[in-house]
Amino acid sequence: MDFTFTEEQQAAAEAARAVFSDVAPDRTPSPALTPGAVAEDIDRHLWHELACTDLLGLTLSPDHGGAGLDPIALCLVLRESAKVLARVPLLESCAVATAIERYGERTFAAELLPRAGRGELILTVGANGRSGHDPAELAVTARPYGEGDGSGESDRADGETGGPSGGSGWVLDGVQSAVPWAQVADWIAVPAHTAGGSPVLALVPRSRDGVTLAEQVSTSGERLAEVRLEAVRVEARELIDAVGCWDWLRSLLTTGTCALALGLGERVLAMTAEYTGKREQFGFPVATFQAVAVQAADRYIDLRAMEATLWQAAWRISTAAGGPLPAAGDVAVAKIWASDGVRRVVQTAQHLHGGFGADTDYPLHRYHAWAKQIELSLGPAAAHEEALGDLLAAHPLG
């Protein structure tokens, strides 16, 4: 395997490092000291800087004002964002935009995507279902309008409902929990299932009639929302029923989460190396003690495994290359390593920092909170081990 990045991918990473270089992880109140969310809004200044650097349209085609790069480039940028705990919906917005361009209706994509690339629209996605344990698409039902409600067409005008007019379109009912950045998003991508059990992806404006948000807060102190949909109408073009759309988007989101875990883990290990290199006991830096060095070396091995499995998964979903297992197998392996690895990295960092690691004036505790959120996002290691087992049973190797 050759994981050498192209010049364009490296340029994207360099641009991201430049943008994130001025971001302070402790810019917001500590989640350990804040009973609710640490802030009401995303980092708007950073969002604007990402838009000005063309990083929000990184994976969009030039036809929509983007750079035309692949998910590997997006993962490189996400890796840098996690090192500074960037408070922006970079993964969610870029992933949804890419799925719309890849699978959505062309006219609708042409209207939406250039604005998303310029940062004028924020996109997010509900990927956790009702509880976070069952498939997200099972938490919401999608039925053609007029089916099951005793009417064949709408008697409400578009301007009155805030939704589509006429008898065409779909109706959504259900709940998606822990939707990131939903309160500030303009559009929410909602996975759902039809009467036949097929997964679909609906694009719903946050202000659409029937959409209500209940406040939730993540482990990292960021705002989430429980999104309830009660007879929410969407136009036919706002619902993507292309085969494989939701599976591909979920794989991209999961792989992007692995990139966040890698970047965070790398920054935490660097913080640990710096601290143990300066902290002395018995006249020697603690980094020179064998027990400390061995623990740090183990975490370095974790990060290299996280890196190798991340790029394998990103390469599979970027190229649609074949393999002994579907691409979902590589994604599952990457998330297993990301979830377990990032947890071990931050736990070791806390141990080697001693009490200093829990000091709320020092940023390590923030990284620990974000790591726990990333570990559980889109399923912990155990969930992906189960998924990998199912894939191996369905596709015997050898």
Side-chain angles (χ1 to χ4, degrees):
M1 292 180 290
D2 182 6
F3 289 145
T4 303
F5 301 114
T6 65
E7 291 183 4
E8 292 80 5
Q9 291 167 346
Q10 294 179 51
E14 291 172 3
R17 280 192 288 271
V19 172
F20 295 128
S21 62
D22 294 330
V23 177
D26 53 359
R27 183 178 294 177
T28 58
S30 166
L33 304 177
T34 309
V38 297
E40 292 296 309
D41 200 359
I42 65 173
D43 188 336
R44 290 286 177 176
H45 174 74
L46 178 56
W47 190 250
H48 175 72
E49 291 295 315
L50 290 168
C52 291
T53 320
D54 296 327
L55 290 174
L56 298 183
L58 194 67
T59 55
L60 298 179
S61 69
D63 292 341
H64 295 134
L69 299 185
D70 56 17
I72 295 174
L74 176 60
C75 287
L76 285 168
V77 175
L78 291 169
R79 180 186 190 178
E80 298 302 322
S81 75
K83 294 178 182 179
V84 297
L85 307 183
R87 299 184 52 260
V88 287
L90 183 61
L91 169 58
E92 294 81 9
S93 200
C94 290
V96 172
T98 307
I100 293 172
E101 180 175 64
R102 186 182 180 103
Y103 295 99
E105 197 268 334
R106 291 186 178 181
T107 304
F108 181 61
E111 294 175 6
L112 205 66
L113 298 185
R115 297 185 64 196
R118 295 192 298 267
E120 298 170 4
L121 290 178
I122 294 177
L123 311 176
T124 190
V125 56
N128 293 302
R130 184 180 292 271
S131 65
H133 298 289
D134 298 321
E137 65 272 19
L138 299 183
V140 177
T141 60
R143 56 183 171 82
Y145 181 71
E147 182 179 291
D149 58 8
S151 65
E153 62 180 4
S154 171
D155 56 4
R156 296 178 297 180
D158 184 40
E160 296 174 332
T161 67
S165 61
S168 63
W170 295 77
V171 179
L172 306 178
D173 290 282
V175 177
Q176 290 288 343
S177 65
V179 179
W181 321 104
Q183 292 87 345
V184 299
D186 298 285
W187 291 78
I188 303 172
V190 179
H193 69 282
T194 64
S198 300
V200 295
L201 185 70
L203 284 303
V204 183
R206 174 171 50 87
S207 58
R208 181 68 53 85
D209 283 358
V211 177
T212 58
L213 306 182
E215 189 81 7
Q216 295 179 319
V217 181
S218 71
T219 303
S220 59
E222 301 299 334
R223 295 181 78 189
L224 304 174
E226 179 185 77
V227 178
R228 291 188 171 272
L229 304 108
E230 298 182 6
V232 175
R233 291 191 57 201
V234 295
E235 297 178 13
R237 68 175 191 163
E238 294 172 344
L239 187 135
I240 304 173
D241 60 358
V243 175
C245 174
W246 168 237
D247 289 338
W248 187 88
L249 176 56
R250 181 175 53 197
S251 292
L252 178 55
L253 291 166
T254 305
T255 305
T257 303
C258 297
L260 294 173
L262 176 62
L264 186 149
E266 289 176 330
R267 178 62 189 130
V268 166
L269 189 61
M271 292 169 63
T272 305
E274 181 180 4
Y275 176 79
T276 57
K278 294 179 179 178
R279 177 76 168 89
E280 291 189 359
Q281 286 186 354
F282 312 111
F284 297 94
V286 296
T288 62
F289 298 167
Q290 186 179 37
V292 173
V294 167
Q295 291 183 70
D298 285 343
R299 301 296 77 82
Y300 177 82
I301 293 172
D302 277 335
L303 290 174
R304 298 290 69 80
M306 291 164 64
E307 184 175 21
T309 54
L310 162 65
W311 300 132
Q312 173 70 11
W315 174 71
R316 287 292 304 275
I317 64 176
S318 295
T319 63
L325 291 178
D330 291 291
V331 173
V333 170
K335 189 57 165 68
I336 292 167
W337 273 104
S339 292
D340 283 343
V342 77
R343 184 188 70 250
R344 288 192 291 260
V345 168
V346 294
Q347 286 178 344
T348 297
Q350 288 281 9
H351 176 63
L352 296 183
H353 275 82
F356 195 59
D359 188 341
T360 55
D361 291 329
Y362 186 69
L364 182 60
H365 76 286
R366 296 173 182 268
Y367 285 89
H368 201 152
W370 278 68
K372 178 56 66 175
Q373 181 66 32
I374 290 172
E375 176 194 346
L376 301 178
S377 293
L378 292 135
H384 289 275
E385 287 168 353
E386 182 178 353
L388 182 61
D390 292 340
L391 284 170
L392 288 170
H395 303 82
L397 302 180

